[in-house]
Amino acid sequence: MTSTSVEMPRGEVTSKSYLTKMLGLPSQQSDQIIQALLPQTHANAFWAQSTRTDGRSFSQPRTTSVVTSILKHSLGSASIQLGSTKIIAANTIEIGQPTPTAPDHGDVVVQVHRKGRNRNDDGGNRTCSTTNASYLQSWLQRQLSEFIPPYLNLLTGRATIRLIVTVLILQDDGNLMDASLLACMAAWNDTKLPVLGVDLEEQAGKLWWKKDPAKTWIRRPIKNPDADDMQIDDKNDAETQAQAQERQSKSELRFSLTVGIIRQHQQHGLDDVHNDDHDGDNDAAKRFLVDPTKQEMALMEGTITITIHVPSKLTQIEFTSPIPLDPSDFAVLSKMAEDRSNELLRVMQKS
């Protein structure tokens, strides 16, 4: 058995066109081989044309859909699809006592799981291919814990709600942060929490269900005032529900936009990024890829995630990249994140 090898000429740039010619195969087969063996070269060929491998422009997010109330036995649930990334979020509750330091606040517990994974995989760590599950869980925990606990009060100093948010990653094609947060917001928007005086009543220092809770929970969590002496009979139920609905519009939501950062080399072409003889930083321009896929995230030199608070429009920024950004970059990306949050809010409201 004999084998042959092809030695690339010294200093030759590994461009997609050169590799296609060298392989001597039909264009479609060459593309598949290059994409599998040299993903950077494959992506560079598209980026050089200011487009991406899935046909999107740099600033274009993937198609997003939201479906709520998908689980019968949860207080609120949602399924979202961001491109090929699919995630389910569901909420359940426990009722307990508040802490002395926050007598009128409940708490939130976030759990992130991936379909098909068990505790023995990956050395006992549940990891996702593009975002570590532990990091994703802590990030979601921080986002939700910053605004949800005040809505979980039942009896100040005596009874509050623990909201348990379970996030299940069904399919990972990148950008789990944006997708998971959107799923959590849609599930939160769909959640039906018990209201003191409507669903619960206090007797002998304990809380009891007044009716079948599955039939009486309201659609959205509401923030109760101090309710130590609140006693509402059935005649006032309709009024209380109306007040709850009025508070719904004041509930805070959060949406994020993750953007990948690459360096695009102008003079020598993108395919020369890995040429060690080329001092690329001098003629490289920053490029931002909105809503990167799994393949793109593996090729990024950095990412920035901007979270928008709705309706206050406050902004949080998480930036990890060796490529420096100037104030104008942050301004442009923040405006893109605000526009994206408005888009996601409309999508969620239609669900």
Side-chain angles (χ1 to χ4, degrees):
M1 179 176 178
T2 61
S3 61
T4 60
S5 62
V6 178
E7 182 177 353
M8 186 175 296
R10 194 174 188 84
E12 184 73 41
V13 175
T14 57
S15 65
K16 184 176 180 180
S17 59
Y18 176 84
L19 291 172
T20 300
K21 182 179 179 181
M22 184 183 71
L23 289 171
L25 296 172
S27 178
Q28 184 176 0
Q29 295 182 22
S30 297
D31 286 346
Q32 293 174 348
I33 293 174
I34 294 172
Q35 181 177 2
L37 300 180
L38 297 169
Q40 182 74 65
T41 299
H42 177 74
N44 287 345
F46 286 87
W47 294 347
Q49 304 299 320
S50 297
T51 188
R52 297 155 78 171
T53 57
D54 56 7
R56 290 183 292 153
S57 66
F58 285 176
S59 61
Q60 182 180 358
R62 289 171 290 178
T63 301
T64 308
S65 63
V66 176
V67 180
T68 57
S69 301
I70 62 169
L71 300 178
K72 181 178 180 180
H73 298 292
S74 68
L75 279 72
S77 59
S79 171
I80 74 99
Q81 183 165 348
L82 179 61
S84 296
T85 296
K86 300 177 183 179
I87 292 179
I88 289 176
N91 293 338
T92 55
I93 64 167
E94 296 175 352
I95 296 178
Q97 293 181 329
T99 63
T101 56
D104 58 349
H105 285 50
D107 67 344
V108 179
V109 176
V110 178
Q111 303 172 343
V112 175
H113 306 282
R114 186 179 180 189
K115 182 181 178 182
R117 288 290 174 94
N118 56 56
R119 296 184 181 276
N120 295 324
D121 289 343
D122 303 315
N125 296 321
R126 293 180 177 179
T127 58
C128 304
S129 58
T130 56
T131 302
N132 183 275
S134 297
Y135 176 80
L136 178 62
Q137 180 170 298
S138 63
W139 182 75
L140 290 172
Q141 178 78 52
R142 185 169 72 251
Q143 292 292 336
L144 303 187
S145 295
E146 287 179 355
F147 76 96
I148 289 182
Y151 292 86
L152 304 178
N153 185 38
L154 288 173
L155 283 170
T156 300
R158 297 160 64 184
T160 57
I161 294 172
R162 166 171 286 177
L163 184 70
I164 303 172
V165 183
T166 302
V167 177
L168 177 61
I169 302 169
L170 299 178
Q171 186 168 311
D172 175 11
D173 189 29
N175 199 5
L176 292 179
M177 293 176 70
D178 290 1
S180 297
L181 184 59
L182 176 59
C184 289
M185 291 299 97
W188 166 249
N189 195 58
D190 183 60
T191 293
K192 308 168 183 66
L193 289 182
V195 178
L196 185 66
V198 177
D199 309 305
L200 298 169
E201 61 182 354
E202 184 187 9
Q203 294 182 6
K206 296 182 179 181
L207 293 179
W208 303 85
W209 292 106
K210 293 179 65 176
K211 304 176 183 178
D212 180 1
K215 297 180 180 179
T216 57
W217 283 331
I218 61 171
R219 180 168 178 76
R220 169 80 72 80
I222 60 170
K223 182 177 180 181
N224 289 307
D226 291 348
D228 299 84
D229 299 319
M230 182 184 291
Q231 293 292 333
I232 302 176
D233 55 29
D234 291 341
K235 295 180 180 180
N236 294 327
D237 283 0
E239 180 182 352
T240 304
Q241 292 284 19
Q243 294 172 351
Q245 296 296 329
E246 183 179 355
R247 294 192 194 101
Q248 289 182 12
S249 61
K250 300 179 182 179
S251 179
E252 183 178 338
L253 297 171
R254 297 188 178 189
F255 302 102
S256 62
L257 178 69
T258 295
V259 179
I261 305 172
I262 62 171
R263 266 191 286 245
Q264 185 171 356
H265 292 257
Q266 305 291 345
Q267 180 178 350
H268 300 272
L270 274 172
D271 294 320
D272 207 21
V273 170
H274 296 297
N275 189 339
D276 294 336
D277 297 331
H278 169 53
D279 184 11
D281 291 342
N282 294 328
D283 60 354
K286 295 188 293 286
R287 292 291 182 266
F288 303 115
L289 273 62
V290 169
D291 180 22
T293 63
K294 177 180 176 179
Q295 180 191 44
E296 290 172 337
M297 294 189 75
L299 306 176
M300 299 291 96
E301 296 187 56
T303 60
I304 180 171
T305 298
I306 302 175
T307 305
I308 302 294
H309 301 193
V310 178
S312 67
K313 302 301 183 184
L314 292 176
T315 302
Q316 290 180 330
I317 297 177
E318 300 194 27
F319 174 51
T320 305
S321 174
I323 304 175
L325 300 183
D326 54 46
S328 62
D329 294 327
F330 286 107
V332 170
L333 294 173
S334 295
K335 181 60 169 64
M336 292 172 64
E338 184 175 343
D339 292 342
R340 177 62 170 165
S341 71
N342 293 332
E343 177 187 354
L344 293 176
L345 183 60
R346 290 192 296 269
V347 171
M348 199 174 70
Q349 289 173 340
K350 292 179 181 179
S351 63

